[in-house]
Coordinates of all heavy atoms in Angstrom, one line a residue:
E221 N -4.0 -5.6 10.7 CA -3.1 -6.6 10.2 C -2.3 -6.0 9.0 O -2.7 -5.1 8.3 CB -3.9 -7.8 9.7 CG -4.7 -8.6 10.8 CD -3.8 -9.1 11.9 OE1 -2.7 -9.6 11.6 OE2 -4.2 -9.0 13.1
E222 N -1.1 -6.6 8.8 CA -0.3 -6.2 7.7 C 0.0 -7.4 6.9 O 0.1 -8.5 7.4 CB 1.0 -5.6 8.3 CG 0.8 -4.3 9.0 CD 2.1 -3.6 9.5 OE1 3.2 -4.1 9.1 OE2 2.1 -2.6 10.2
F223 N 0.1 -7.1 5.6 CA 0.5 -8.2 4.6 C 1.3 -7.5 3.5 O 1.3 -6.3 3.4 CB -0.7 -9.0 4.1 CG -1.6 -8.2 3.2 CD1 -1.4 -8.2 1.9 CD2 -2.6 -7.4 3.8 CE1 -2.3 -7.5 1.0 CE2 -3.5 -6.7 3.0 CZ -3.3 -6.7 1.6
V224 N 2.0 -8.3 2.7 CA 2.7 -7.8 1.6 C 2.2 -8.5 0.3 O 1.8 -9.6 0.3 CB 4.2 -8.1 1.8 CG1 4.5 -9.6 1.8 CG2 5.1 -7.4 0.7
A225 N 2.2 -7.7 -0.7 CA 1.8 -8.2 -2.1 C 3.0 -7.8 -3.0 O 3.5 -6.7 -3.0 CB 0.6 -7.5 -2.6
I226 N 3.5 -8.8 -3.7 CA 4.6 -8.7 -4.6 C 4.1 -8.8 -6.0 O 3.5 -9.8 -6.4 CB 5.7 -9.7 -4.3 CG1 6.2 -9.5 -2.9 CG2 6.8 -9.5 -5.3 CD1 7.2 -10.6 -2.4
L227 N 4.2 -7.7 -6.8 CA 3.7 -7.7 -8.1 C 4.9 -7.8 -9.1 O 5.5 -6.8 -9.5 CB 3.0 -6.4 -8.4 CG 1.9 -6.0 -7.4 CD1 1.3 -4.7 -7.7 CD2 0.8 -7.1 -7.4
F228 N 5.2 -9.0 -9.5 CA 6.3 -9.2 -10.4 C 5.9 -8.7 -11.8 O 4.7 -8.7 -12.2 CB 6.6 -10.7 -10.6 CG 7.2 -11.3 -9.3 CD1 6.4 -12.0 -8.4 CD2 8.5 -11.2 -9.1 CE1 7.0 -12.5 -7.3 CE2 9.1 -11.7 -7.9 CZ 8.3 -12.4 -7.0
D229 N 6.9 -8.2 -12.5 CA 6.7 -7.7 -13.9 C 5.7 -6.5 -14.0 O 5.1 -6.3 -15.0 CB 6.3 -8.8 -14.9 CG 7.3 -9.9 -15.0 OD1 8.5 -9.5 -15.0 OD2 7.0 -11.0 -15.1
A230 N 5.5 -5.8 -12.9 CA 4.6 -4.7 -12.9 C 5.5 -3.4 -12.8 O 6.5 -3.4 -12.1 CB 3.7 -4.7 -11.7
T231 N 5.1 -2.4 -13.6 CA 5.7 -1.1 -13.5 C 5.3 -0.4 -12.2 O 4.3 -0.8 -11.6 CB 5.4 -0.2 -14.7 OG1 4.0 0.1 -14.6 CG2 5.7 -0.9 -16.0
L232 N 6.0 0.6 -11.8 CA 5.6 1.4 -10.6 C 4.1 2.0 -10.9 O 3.3 2.0 -9.9 CB 6.6 2.5 -10.4 CG 6.4 3.3 -9.1 CD1 6.4 2.4 -7.9 CD2 7.5 4.4 -9.0
D233 N 3.9 2.4 -12.1 CA 2.5 2.9 -12.3 C 1.5 1.8 -12.2 O 0.4 2.0 -11.7 CB 2.4 3.6 -13.7 CG 3.1 4.9 -13.8 OD1 3.2 5.6 -12.7 OD2 3.5 5.4 -14.9
D234 N 1.8 0.6 -12.7 CA 0.9 -0.5 -12.6 C 0.6 -0.8 -11.1 O -0.6 -1.0 -10.7 CB 1.5 -1.8 -13.1 CG 1.6 -1.8 -14.7 OD1 1.0 -1.0 -15.3 OD2 2.5 -2.6 -15.2
A235 N 1.6 -0.8 -10.3 CA 1.5 -1.0 -8.8 C 0.7 0.1 -8.2 O -0.2 -0.2 -7.3 CB 2.8 -1.2 -8.2
R236 N 0.9 1.3 -8.5 CA 0.2 2.4 -8.0 C -1.3 2.3 -8.3 O -2.2 2.4 -7.5 CB 0.7 3.7 -8.4 CG 0.0 4.9 -7.8 CD 0.4 6.3 -8.4 NE 1.9 6.5 -8.4 CZ 2.5 7.2 -7.5 NH1 1.8 7.7 -6.5 NH2 3.8 7.4 -7.6
R237 N -1.6 1.9 -9.6 CA -3.0 1.8 -10.0 C -3.7 0.6 -9.2 O -4.8 0.7 -8.8 CB -3.1 1.5 -11.5 CG -3.0 2.8 -12.3 CD -3.4 2.6 -13.8 NE -2.5 1.7 -14.5 CZ -1.3 2.0 -15.0 NH1 -0.9 3.3 -15.0 NH2 -0.6 1.1 -15.6
A238 N -2.9 -0.5 -9.0 CA -3.5 -1.6 -8.2 C -3.8 -1.2 -6.8 O -4.8 -1.5 -6.2 CB -2.5 -2.8 -8.3
G239 N -2.9 -0.4 -6.2 CA -3.1 0.1 -4.9 C -4.3 1.0 -4.8 O -5.1 1.0 -3.9
E240 N -4.5 1.9 -5.8 CA -5.7 2.8 -5.9 C -6.9 2.0 -6.0 O -8.0 2.3 -5.4 CB -5.5 3.8 -7.0 CG -4.4 4.8 -6.8 CD -4.6 5.8 -5.7 OE1 -5.7 5.9 -5.2 OE2 -3.6 6.4 -5.2
R241 N -6.9 0.9 -6.8 CA -8.1 0.0 -6.9 C -8.4 -0.6 -5.6 O -9.6 -0.8 -5.2 CB -7.9 -1.0 -8.0 CG -8.0 -0.5 -9.4 CD -8.1 -1.6 -10.5 NE -7.0 -2.6 -10.4 CZ -5.8 -2.5 -11.0 NH1 -5.5 -1.5 -11.7 NH2 -5.0 -3.5 -10.8
L242 N -7.4 -1.1 -4.8 CA -7.6 -1.7 -3.5 C -8.2 -0.7 -2.5 O -9.1 -1.0 -1.8 CB -6.3 -2.2 -3.0 CG -6.3 -2.9 -1.6 CD1 -7.3 -4.1 -1.6 CD2 -4.9 -3.4 -1.2
L243 N -7.7 0.6 -2.6 CA -8.2 1.6 -1.7 C -9.7 1.8 -2.0 O -10.6 1.8 -1.1 CB -7.5 2.9 -1.9 CG -6.2 3.2 -1.3 CD1 -5.5 4.4 -1.8 CD2 -6.4 3.3 0.2
A244 N -10.1 1.9 -3.3 CA -11.5 2.1 -3.7 C -12.3 0.9 -3.3 O -13.5 1.1 -2.8 CB -11.6 2.3 -5.2
A245 N -11.8 -0.3 -3.4 CA -12.6 -1.5 -3.1 C -12.9 -1.6 -1.6 O -14.0 -1.9 -1.2 CB -11.9 -2.8 -3.6
V246 N -11.9 -1.3 -0.8 CA -12.1 -1.3 0.7 C -13.1 -0.2 1.1 O -13.9 -0.4 1.9 CB -10.7 -1.2 1.4 CG1 -11.0 -1.0 2.9 CG2 -9.9 -2.4 1.2
R247 N -12.9 1.0 0.5 CA -13.8 2.1 0.9 C -15.3 1.7 0.5 O -16.2 2.2 1.2 CB -13.4 3.3 0.1 CG -12.2 4.0 0.6 CD -11.7 5.1 -0.2 NE -10.5 5.7 0.2 CZ -9.6 6.3 -0.6 NH1 -9.8 6.4 -1.9 NH2 -8.5 6.8 -0.1
A248 N -15.5 0.9 -0.5 CA -16.8 0.6 -0.9 C -17.5 -0.6 -0.1 O -18.7 -0.8 -0.3 CB -16.8 0.2 -2.4
I249 N -16.8 -1.2 0.7 CA -17.3 -2.3 1.5 C -18.4 -1.8 2.5 O -18.2 -0.9 3.2 CB -16.2 -3.1 2.3 CG1 -15.3 -3.8 1.4 CG2 -16.8 -4.1 3.3 CD1 -14.0 -4.4 2.0
R250 N -19.5 -2.5 2.5 CA -20.6 -2.2 3.4 C -21.0 -3.5 4.1 O -21.1 -4.5 3.5 CB -21.9 -1.6 2.6 CG -21.6 -0.4 1.9 CD -21.3 0.8 2.9 NE -21.0 2.0 2.2 CZ -19.8 2.5 2.0 NH1 -18.7 1.8 2.5 NH2 -19.6 3.6 1.4
L251 N -21.1 -3.4 5.4 CA -21.5 -4.6 6.2 C -23.0 -4.6 6.5 O -23.5 -3.7 7.2 CB -20.7 -4.6 7.5 CG -19.2 -4.5 7.4 CD1 -18.5 -4.4 8.7 CD2 -18.6 -5.7 6.7
D252 N -23.7 -5.6 5.9 CA -25.1 -5.7 6.1 C -25.5 -5.9 7.6 O -24.8 -6.7 8.3 CB -25.7 -6.9 5.3 CG -25.6 -6.6 3.8 OD1 -25.6 -5.4 3.4 OD2 -25.6 -7.6 3.0
G253 N -26.5 -5.2 8.0 CA -27.0 -5.4 9.4 C -26.1 -4.7 10.5 O -26.4 -4.9 11.6
Q254 N -25.2 -4.0 10.0 CA -24.3 -3.3 11.0 C -24.5 -1.8 10.9 O -24.8 -1.3 9.8 CB -22.8 -3.6 10.7 CG -22.5 -5.1 10.8 CD -22.7 -5.6 12.2 OE1 -22.4 -5.0 13.2 NE2 -23.3 -6.8 12.3
P255 N -24.3 -1.1 12.0 CA -24.3 0.4 11.9 C -23.3 0.8 10.9 O -22.4 0.0 10.6 CB -23.9 0.8 13.3 CG -23.9 -0.4 14.2 CD -23.9 -1.6 13.3
T256 N -23.4 2.0 10.4 CA -22.5 2.5 9.4 C -21.0 2.4 10.0 O -20.7 3.0 11.0 CB -22.8 3.9 9.0 OG1 -24.1 4.0 8.6 CG2 -21.8 4.4 8.0
V257 N -20.2 1.6 9.3 CA -18.8 1.4 9.7 C -18.0 1.7 8.4 O -18.2 1.2 7.4 CB -18.6 -0.1 10.1 CG1 -17.1 -0.3 10.4 CG2 -19.4 -0.4 11.3
A258 N -17.1 2.6 8.6 CA -16.2 3.0 7.5 C -14.9 2.2 7.6 O -14.2 2.2 8.6 CB -15.9 4.5 7.5
L259 N -14.6 1.4 6.6 CA -13.4 0.7 6.5 C -12.4 1.4 5.7 O -12.7 2.2 4.8 CB -13.6 -0.7 5.9 CG -14.6 -1.6 6.6 CD1 -14.8 -2.9 5.8 CD2 -14.2 -1.9 8.0
S260 N -11.1 1.3 6.1 CA -10.1 2.0 5.4 C -8.8 1.1 5.3 O -8.7 0.1 6.0 CB -9.7 3.3 6.1 OG -9.1 3.0 7.3
V261 N -7.9 1.5 4.5 CA -6.7 0.7 4.3 C -5.5 1.7 4.1 O -5.8 2.8 3.5 CB -6.8 -0.3 3.1 CG1 -7.0 0.4 1.8 CG2 -5.5 -1.2 3.1
S262 N -4.4 1.4 4.7 CA -3.2 2.3 4.4 C -2.2 1.4 3.7 O -2.0 0.3 4.0 CB -2.6 2.7 5.8 OG -3.6 3.5 6.5
L263 N -1.6 2.0 2.6 CA -0.7 1.2 1.8 C 0.6 1.9 1.7 O 0.7 3.1 1.5 CB -1.3 1.1 0.4 CG -2.7 0.5 0.3 CD1 -3.2 0.6 -1.2 CD2 -2.6 -1.0 0.7
G264 N 1.7 1.1 1.8 CA 3.0 1.6 1.5 C 3.5 0.9 0.3 O 3.5 -0.3 0.2
L265 N 4.0 1.6 -0.7 CA 4.4 1.1 -2.0 C 5.9 1.3 -2.2 O 6.3 2.5 -2.0 CB 3.6 1.8 -3.1 CG 3.9 1.3 -4.5 CD1 3.6 -0.1 -4.7 CD2 3.1 2.2 -5.5
A266 N 6.6 0.3 -2.5 CA 8.0 0.4 -2.8 C 8.3 -0.4 -4.1 O 7.7 -1.4 -4.3 CB 8.9 -0.1 -1.6
A267 N 9.3 0.0 -4.8 CA 9.7 -0.6 -6.0 C 11.2 -1.1 -5.9 O 12.0 -0.4 -5.3 CB 9.5 0.3 -7.2
M268 N 11.5 -2.2 -6.6 CA 12.8 -2.7 -6.7 C 13.6 -1.8 -7.6 O 13.1 -1.6 -8.8 CB 12.8 -4.1 -7.2 CG 14.2 -4.8 -7.2 SD 14.8 -5.3 -5.5 CE 13.8 -6.7 -5.2
D269 N 14.7 -1.2 -7.2 CA 15.5 -0.3 -8.0 C 16.9 -0.4 -7.6 O 17.3 -1.3 -6.9 CB 15.0 1.2 -7.9 CG 15.0 1.8 -6.5 OD1 15.8 1.2 -5.7 OD2 14.4 2.8 -6.3
V270 N 17.7 0.5 -8.1 CA 19.2 0.4 -7.8 C 19.4 0.5 -6.3 O 20.3 -0.2 -5.9 CB 19.9 1.6 -8.6 CG1 21.4 1.6 -8.2 CG2 19.7 1.5 -10.1
Q271 N 18.7 1.2 -5.6 CA 18.9 1.4 -4.1 C 18.3 0.3 -3.3 O 18.7 0.0 -2.2 CB 18.4 2.7 -3.6 CG 19.1 3.9 -4.2 CD 18.6 5.2 -3.8 OE1 17.5 5.3 -3.2 NE2 19.4 6.3 -3.9
T272 N 17.3 -0.4 -3.9 CA 16.6 -1.5 -3.1 C 16.7 -2.8 -3.9 O 15.7 -3.3 -4.3 CB 15.2 -1.1 -2.8 OG1 14.5 -0.8 -4.1 CG2 15.0 0.0 -1.9
Q273 N 17.9 -3.3 -4.1 CA 18.0 -4.5 -4.9 C 17.9 -5.8 -4.0 O 18.0 -6.9 -4.5 CB 19.3 -4.5 -5.7 CG 19.3 -3.5 -6.8 CD 20.5 -3.6 -7.7 OE1 21.4 -4.4 -7.5 NE2 20.5 -2.9 -8.8
Q274 N 17.9 -5.6 -2.7 CA 17.7 -6.7 -1.8 C 16.3 -6.7 -1.2 O 15.7 -5.7 -1.0 CB 18.8 -6.6 -0.7 CG 20.2 -6.5 -1.1 CD 20.6 -7.9 -1.8 OE1 20.2 -8.9 -1.3 NE2 21.4 -7.8 -2.8
W275 N 15.8 -7.9 -0.9 CA 14.5 -8.0 -0.4 C 14.3 -7.3 0.9 O 13.3 -6.6 1.1 CB 14.1 -9.5 -0.2 CG 13.8 -10.2 -1.5 CD1 14.6 -11.1 -2.2 CD2 12.7 -10.0 -2.4 NE1 14.0 -11.5 -3.4 CE2 12.8 -10.8 -3.5 CE3 11.5 -9.2 -2.3 CZ2 11.9 -10.9 -4.6 CZ3 10.6 -9.2 -3.4 CH2 10.8 -10.1 -4.5
D276 N 15.3 -7.4 1.8 CA 15.1 -6.7 3.1 C 15.0 -5.2 2.9 O 14.2 -4.5 3.6 CB 16.2 -7.1 4.1 CG 17.6 -6.8 3.6 OD1 17.8 -6.7 2.4 OD2 18.5 -6.7 4.4
A277 N 15.8 -4.6 2.0 CA 15.7 -3.2 1.7 C 14.4 -2.8 1.1 O 13.8 -1.8 1.5 CB 16.9 -2.8 0.8
L278 N 13.9 -3.6 0.2 CA 12.6 -3.4 -0.4 C 11.5 -3.4 0.7 O 10.6 -2.5 0.7 CB 12.3 -4.4 -1.5 CG 11.0 -4.3 -2.2 CD1 10.9 -3.0 -3.0 CD2 10.7 -5.5 -3.1
L279 N 11.5 -4.4 1.5 CA 10.4 -4.5 2.6 C 10.5 -3.4 3.6 O 9.5 -2.8 4.0 CB 10.5 -5.9 3.3 CG 10.1 -7.0 2.4 CD1 10.4 -8.3 3.2 CD2 8.7 -6.9 2.0
K280 N 11.8 -3.0 3.9 CA 12.0 -1.8 4.8 C 11.4 -0.5 4.2 O 10.7 0.3 4.9 CB 13.4 -1.7 5.2 CG 13.6 -0.5 6.1 CD 15.1 -0.4 6.6 CE 15.2 0.8 7.4 NZ 16.1 0.8 8.5
A281 N 11.7 -0.3 2.9 CA 11.1 0.9 2.2 C 9.6 0.9 2.2 O 9.0 1.9 2.4 CB 11.7 0.9 0.8
A282 N 9.0 -0.3 1.9 CA 7.5 -0.4 1.9 C 7.0 -0.2 3.3 O 6.0 0.5 3.5 CB 7.1 -1.8 1.4
D283 N 7.6 -0.7 4.3 CA 7.2 -0.5 5.7 C 7.3 0.9 6.1 O 6.4 1.5 6.8 CB 8.0 -1.4 6.6 CG 7.4 -1.5 8.0 OD1 6.1 -1.8 8.1 OD2 8.1 -1.3 9.0
T284 N 8.3 1.6 5.7 CA 8.5 3.0 6.0 C 7.4 3.8 5.4 O 6.8 4.7 6.0 CB 9.9 3.5 5.6 OG1 10.9 2.8 6.3 CG2 10.0 5.0 5.9
A285 N 7.1 3.5 4.1 CA 6.0 4.2 3.4 C 4.6 3.9 4.1 O 3.8 4.8 4.2 CB 6.0 3.8 1.9
L286 N 4.4 2.6 4.5 CA 3.2 2.3 5.2 C 3.0 3.1 6.5 O 2.0 3.6 6.8 CB 3.2 0.8 5.6 CG 2.0 0.3 6.4 CD1 0.7 0.6 5.8 CD2 2.2 -1.2 6.8
L287 N 4.1 3.2 7.3 CA 4.1 4.0 8.5 C 3.7 5.5 8.2 O 2.9 6.1 8.9 CB 5.4 4.0 9.2 CG 5.5 4.8 10.5 CD1 4.4 4.4 11.5 CD2 6.9 4.6 11.1
A288 N 4.3 6.0 7.1 CA 4.0 7.4 6.6 C 2.5 7.5 6.3 O 1.8 8.5 6.6 CB 4.8 7.8 5.4
A289 N 1.9 6.5 5.6 CA 0.5 6.5 5.3 C -0.4 6.6 6.5 O -1.3 7.3 6.6 CB 0.1 5.3 4.4
K290 N 0.0 5.8 7.5 CA -0.7 5.8 8.8 C -0.6 7.1 9.5 O -1.6 7.7 10.0 CB -0.3 4.7 9.7 CG -0.6 3.3 9.2 CD -0.1 2.2 10.1 CE -0.5 0.8 9.6 NZ 0.1 -0.2 10.5
T291 N 0.6 7.7 9.5 CA 0.9 8.9 10.2 C 0.2 10.1 9.5 O -0.3 11.0 10.2 CB 2.4 9.2 10.2 OG1 3.1 8.1 10.9 CG2 2.8 10.5 10.9
Q292 N 0.0 10.0 8.2 CA -0.6 11.1 7.4 C -2.2 11.0 7.5 O -2.8 11.8 6.8 CB -0.2 11.1 6.0 CG 1.3 11.4 5.8 CD 1.8 11.2 4.4 OE1 1.0 11.2 3.5 NE2 3.1 11.1 4.3
G293 N -2.7 10.1 8.3 CA -4.1 10.1 8.5 C -4.8 8.8 8.0 O -6.0 8.7 8.0
R294 N -4.1 7.8 7.6 CA -4.6 6.6 7.1 C -5.4 6.7 5.9 O -5.6 7.8 5.3 CB -5.4 5.9 8.2 CG -4.6 5.7 9.5 CD -5.4 4.9 10.6 NE -4.7 4.9 11.8 CZ -3.9 3.9 12.2 NH1 -3.8 2.8 11.4 NH2 -3.3 3.9 13.3
D295 N -5.9 5.6 5.4 CA -6.8 5.5 4.2 C -6.1 6.2 3.0 O -6.7 7.0 2.3 CB -8.1 6.1 4.5 CG -9.2 5.6 3.4 OD1 -9.1 4.5 3.0 OD2 -10.0 6.4 3.1
R296 N -4.9 5.8 2.7 CA -4.1 6.4 1.6 C -3.0 5.5 1.2 O -2.6 4.6 1.9 CB -3.6 7.8 2.0 CG -2.5 7.8 3.1 CD -2.2 9.1 3.6 NE -3.3 9.6 4.4 CZ -3.9 10.8 4.1 NH1 -3.5 11.6 3.2 NH2 -5.0 11.2 4.8
L297 N -2.4 5.8 0.1 CA -1.3 5.1 -0.5 C -0.1 6.1 -0.5 O -0.2 7.2 -0.9 CB -1.5 4.7 -1.9 CG -0.5 3.8 -2.6 CD1 -1.1 2.9 -3.6 CD2 0.6 4.7 -3.3
V298 N 1.0 5.6 0.1 CA 2.2 6.5 0.1 C 3.3 5.7 -0.6 O 3.6 4.5 -0.3 CB 2.7 6.8 1.5 CG1 4.1 7.5 1.5 CG2 1.7 7.7 2.1
L299 N 4.0 6.3 -1.6 CA 5.1 5.7 -2.3 C 6.4 6.0 -1.5 O 6.6 7.1 -1.0 CB 5.2 6.4 -3.7 CG 6.3 5.9 -4.6 CD1 6.2 4.4 -4.9 CD2 6.4 6.7 -5.9
A300 N 7.2 4.9 -1.4 CA 8.5 5.0 -0.7 C 9.3 6.2 -1.3 O 9.3 6.3 -2.5 CB 9.3 3.7 -0.8
G301 N 9.8 7.0 -0.4 CA 10.6 8.2 -0.9 C 9.7 9.4 -1.0 O 10.3 10.5 -1.1
D302 N 8.4 9.3 -1.0 CA 7.5 10.5 -1.1 C 7.1 10.9 0.3 O 6.3 11.9 0.4 CB 6.3 10.2 -1.9 CG 6.6 10.1 -3.4 OD1 7.7 10.5 -3.8 OD2 5.7 9.8 -4.2
S303 N 7.4 10.1 1.3 CA 6.9 10.4 2.6 C 7.6 11.5 3.3 O 8.2 12.2 3.5 CB 6.9 9.2 3.5 OG 8.2 8.5 3.5

C-alpha cells in the first residue's frame, strides 16, 4: 500500500529523521506466533521548494523518489533528486 504524510513546518532534515525513525520502527516489528517475517518499508521524500510549489509537482517528486527506493532494493529512504 502507499500513503502520503505531509509534515508542515518541518525542515528537510526533520523529515529525513522522521523517515529514518519510521524505517527503524518497521524493521523492529515482530509478529508473535509467526515464522520469522521481515517487514520493510520504502520511502520517497520530497520537499516544497522553488521547483515544487504546486501540490501535484510535490507528489510527483515524492512518487518518483519512492519508485527509486523500490528499484534500489526496497527498505530505504530516497530523497527526491538523489535518485
